Amino acid sequence: MSAQTWLDRLDGASYALPLLFFLSMMETLLIPIPIEAILIPWMLTKRRRRWTIATVALAGNLTAAALGYWLGLLAMEQWGDTLVSFFGGAEAFDSFSSDIENNGFKAILAVGISPTPLQIAMLAAGATGYSFLMFLLAIGISRSTRYYGLALLVHFAGDAALNLWQRYSKQIGACLLVLAGIWLWFIFK
């Protein structure tokens, strides 16, 4: 099945947007593979829905970020070592905790804009007691920039990008599948 056929089926399904919400949550909480791998081709082929797609992805991301923050706030004492090792290690956690204490909003904003996974940032923000509202504001601004920026990119570069996607979608899909396999191999080896 081609990527175009898959996207057409996905877009026509009643579960498409709830699935995107769920995938965005999973990308934020557990799977550090950027959701843009789904968003970009979906926005390219279904341009009339690009703003809806971006909004649903943002809503899933913010929901997961809030859950991760509260997990950091409430569970770090009891399960901290397990959570930290699962999401990137003590060194990354300690480094980001220090960044939050020194430059909280800027540090969270930077992580949210970059393709860096949010897991450590969420746990550290909660564990350090960083303001929940400021945390959500930083995540909201940064992820809005990413997702609505993609929608703008599709708006302005749509036809050229769509032609590239249609020409190379199988190769891009195969590369993403290989990268996901390599990531899983490193995680579970």
Side-chain angles (χ1 to χ4, degrees):
M1 175 167 56
S2 74
Q4 182 66 44
T5 304
W6 181 81
L7 285 168
D8 287 341
R9 284 186 184 170
L10 175 66
D11 192 59
S14 61
Y15 59 83
L17 295 177
L19 178 63
L20 176 59
F21 181 87
F22 176 76
L23 290 174
S24 183
M25 283 184 63
M26 290 300 99
E27 184 248 350
T28 304
L29 287 173
L30 298 173
I31 308 166
I33 298 173
I35 192 102
E36 287 83 354
I38 296 169
L39 295 180
I40 293 170
W42 195 359
M43 287 179 178
L44 282 171
T45 58
K46 306 298 178 191
R47 285 192 248 170
R48 65 181 169 26
R49 294 184 68 177
R50 67 182 172 264
W51 302 108
T52 302
I53 292 166
T55 300
V56 170
L58 178 62
N61 187 278
L62 287 173
T63 302
L67 289 172
Y69 176 94
W70 290 107
L71 185 63
L73 182 68
L74 301 173
M76 283 303 287
E77 271 188 42
Q78 188 172 7
W79 299 313
D81 292 338
T82 303
L83 289 172
V84 167
S85 65
F86 183 74
F87 289 126
E91 186 176 312
F93 179 81
D94 292 340
S95 173
F96 199 78
S97 293
S98 176
D99 287 347
I100 285 179
E101 289 173 8
N102 296 326
N103 301 308
F105 192 83
K106 288 182 200 175
I108 295 167
L109 194 66
V111 168
I113 290 174
S114 73
T116 306
L118 280 177
Q119 291 91 349
I120 291 292
M122 295 180 306
L123 291 174
T128 60
Y130 186 75
S131 165
F132 179 67
L133 292 177
M134 292 303 287
F135 170 76
L136 277 184
L137 180 62
I139 295 296
I141 290 170
S142 61
R143 291 301 166 123
S144 293
T145 301
R146 282 179 66 177
Y147 300 147
Y148 293 121
L150 284 177
L152 280 172
L153 181 66
V154 166
H155 177 76
F156 290 113
D159 291 333
L162 181 59
N163 290 336
L164 281 173
W165 167 253
Q166 288 172 335
R167 184 179 299 155
Y168 299 108
S169 65
K170 288 181 183 176
Q171 294 89 337
I172 292 169
C175 286
L176 289 173
L177 188 60
V178 167
L179 289 173
I182 291 169
W183 175 78
L184 289 170
W185 181 76
F186 276 109
I187 294 296
F188 296 110
K189 71 175 184 171

